Amino acid sequence: MSERFVYLDHAATTYVRKEVLEAMLPYFTEKYGNASTIYSIGRESKKAIEEAREKVALALGADVKEIFFTGSGTEADNWVIKGVAYANRQKGNHIITSSIEHHAVLHTCQYLESEGFEVTYLPVDKDGLVSPEDVRKAIRPETILISIMFANNEIGTIQPIGEIGAIAREKGVYFHTDAVQAVGNVPIDVNKMNIDLLSLSGHKFYGPKGIGALYIRKGVKITNFMHGGAQERGRRASTENVPAIVGLGKAIEIATKNMDEYNRKLIALRDRTIDELFRRIPHIRLNGHREKRLPGNVNISFEYIEGESLLLMLDMKGIAASSGSACTSGSLDPSHVLLAIGLSHETAHGSLRLTFGEENTMEDVDYLLETLPPIVERLRAMSPLYEKVKEGV
């Protein structure tokens, strides 16, 4: 095992920033009051929640009353899709989404199909982009929701959210975006982009796990997902997770403030990695759009090797990476995202996702570039198919 450790899986999760942890700690031990109570430490908790809500609203260009805290991004996605579907069933039963959404969206839509709803799963092009015109053509009189992710968690492609939002607004259809990978990484303005509902998760931008938020534009008709109490202005029952909410607020405040500088750094790391991998390793493919992609995302497919072996050998060298979404790492099936952009099962199985974060350096990139090519060559040496390729067959 290597003594060196390089973490390149920030799309799966980030660590909690020191400033975020420090902001959270008092609410575990000193200011532990239930925010629904009227005595002083309860009021302190309530005040902290509202301050965090203001920070989230500011980061999204939303009104503070449009922000609701959830237990995760997955919960926020479920709330949107089920909540809008059930609240608007008299108007229609049709939902539009894409074939490369996170499973929090796809599985929820599939569940609704068993409940009598109809779902259109739009295709994407070779770069993973949804066509706004395809969205327009898919809208029917009974369409009640369009849900298109802001940026893909595997290949990093950023969708034309503003264009899709404008079409949805023109047609009078609610527009939701799963922005779990985008918040903290790219600028977002829900009003300029015509977004009606937006999901986010704290642990993707150096906040704690187990906390998310949902933006619901004022006037959107949506049922409650959680029942049992009057928390979150009667919209989401459950005693508030005050430390995590405080952490989310602090994390999004820092991420928004430092975004330009942070992105410049990540883009430099990303672009050097892509350019050098193509220079040093033959028979590879970049997955996702070359420019319209998250600043820290690199997704490469290596022909004639198997991705799990690649990950294990990188781990032995102290490099933590991924072959796709962390939520599907236990699955033997190839990535639905890579299949949707046209990869074969074999090529999809040979994919590697590298996602950079604030602690990464050019020295980390150098170490990756020293380490990865010999591993690829070693794995290909075990492949009878690659031997034929080298022989020109």
Side-chain angles (χ1 to χ4, degrees):
M1 293 293 291
S2 172
E3 294 182 3
R4 181 164 187 170
F5 179 67
V6 178
Y7 185 71
L8 299 177
D9 203 18
H10 293 82
T13 193
T14 57
Y15 64 85
V16 176
R17 277 194 172 105
K18 182 181 177 182
E19 308 97 303
V20 172
L21 180 60
E22 288 173 351
M24 293 171 63
L25 286 176
Y27 296 92
F28 285 110
T29 56
E30 301 162 26
K31 304 177 181 180
Y32 53 83
N34 188 312
S36 297
T37 58
I38 62 171
Y39 42 74
S40 59
I41 61 170
R43 294 198 304 271
E44 286 180 355
S45 292
K46 183 68 173 175
K47 182 173 182 287
I49 290 172
E50 296 313 313
E51 288 175 353
R53 201 185 311 277
E54 289 174 6
K55 292 172 182 176
V56 175
L58 184 63
L60 301 178
D63 186 274
V64 69
K65 292 181 180 178
E66 298 173 318
I67 305 299
F68 300 86
F69 292 112
T70 65
S72 63
T74 294
E75 182 194 318
D77 285 340
N78 272 259
W79 184 3
V80 167
I81 296 166
K82 293 175 183 174
V84 169
Y86 292 140
N88 296 274
R89 203 165 195 167
Q90 298 302 314
K91 177 185 175 186
N93 69 336
H94 181 233
I95 296 168
I96 298 170
T97 189
S98 85
S99 57
I100 63 166
E101 298 295 310
H102 189 277
H103 283 121
V105 170
L106 290 179
H107 287 175
T108 307
C109 287
Q110 288 161 11
Y111 165 76
L112 286 177
E113 286 183 288
S114 72
E115 294 278 295
F117 289 88
E118 295 182 14
V119 182
T120 297
Y121 300 92
L122 295 175
V124 294
D125 67 13
K126 63 181 178 59
D127 294 319
L129 284 168
V130 175
S131 163
E133 194 54 36
D134 283 352
V135 175
R136 183 186 294 277
K137 290 176 182 176
I139 296 173
R140 312 174 188 167
E142 63 271 24
T143 304
I144 54 176
L145 178 67
I146 298 167
S147 181
I148 303 293
M149 69 193 328
F150 203 111
N152 187 265
N153 49 303
E154 293 190 37
I155 60 175
T157 297
I158 298 172
Q159 300 295 342
I161 293 298
E163 292 178 60
I164 296 171
I167 292 168
R169 183 62 51 83
E170 174 194 334
K171 298 294 185 178
V173 178
Y174 292 146
F175 176 47
H176 164 247
T177 185
D178 174 348
V180 166
Q181 292 291 336
V183 171
N185 287 300
V186 295
I188 298 175
D189 188 306
V190 293
N191 291 307
K192 290 180 181 178
M193 296 178 172
N194 294 299
I195 298 168
D196 297 306
L197 304 120
L198 178 146
S199 310
L200 63 90
S201 182
H203 75 105
K204 304 297 187 180
F205 47 88
Y206 308 96
K209 297 175 182 66
I211 186 67
L214 177 60
Y215 157 74
I216 305 175
R217 182 182 294 279
K218 183 180 178 183
V220 168
K221 192 177 178 183
I222 182 171
T223 62
N224 289 0
F225 183 64
M226 300 275 282
H227 300 86
Q231 291 87 359
E232 292 300 282
R233 299 191 300 284
R235 303 297 290 274
R236 196 267 187 186
S238 183
T239 299
E240 298 93 343
N241 185 351
V242 182
I245 290 171
V246 169
L248 172 63
K250 186 67 175 178
I252 203 167
E253 179 183 47
I254 295 170
T256 306
K257 187 181 298 182
N258 299 331
M259 189 177 294
D260 289 345
E261 180 182 350
Y262 178 61
N263 284 352
R264 278 195 295 271
K265 173 187 172 179
L266 262 56
I267 289 169
L269 298 174
R270 178 197 75 189
D271 288 353
R272 180 160 184 263
T273 299
I274 293 171
D275 292 343
E276 285 297 312
L277 286 178
F278 271 85
R279 190 175 70 83
R280 300 181 190 205
I281 304 175
H283 307 294
I284 66 175
R285 167 192 163 129
L286 177 67
N287 300 315
H289 199 282
R290 184 62 180 86
E291 287 84 34
K292 297 174 185 176
R293 70 187 302 125
L294 290 170
N297 177 287
V298 176
N299 190 306
I300 300 280
S301 287
F302 300 85
E303 299 279 2
Y304 318 115
I305 66 170
E306 206 281 317
E308 295 299 316
S309 301
L310 182 60
L311 291 181
L312 289 171
M313 294 183 78
L314 284 172
D315 186 43
M316 291 176 68
K317 293 292 186 179
I319 297 174
S322 168
S323 59
S325 166
C327 304
T328 58
S329 60
S331 172
L332 295 177
D333 295 329
S335 157
H336 70 285
V337 175
L338 297 182
L339 295 180
I341 62 174
L343 272 64
S344 67
H345 279 61
E346 293 78 13
T347 303
H349 270 304
S351 68
L352 177 69
R353 182 184 72 175
L354 306 164
T355 45
F356 294 94
E358 69 168 0
E359 78 276 20
N360 291 131
T361 64
M362 279 297 178
E363 287 71 28
D364 292 338
V365 173
D366 290 339
Y367 181 62
L368 172 71
L369 294 172
E370 291 167 12
T371 306
L372 184 55
I375 291 176
V376 172
E377 188 61 31
R378 180 180 171 187
L379 290 172
R380 283 177 172 170
M382 304 176 191
S383 167
L385 184 60
Y386 190 58
E387 284 301 312
K388 292 181 180 179
V389 170
K390 289 200 298 183
E391 292 168 6
V393 178

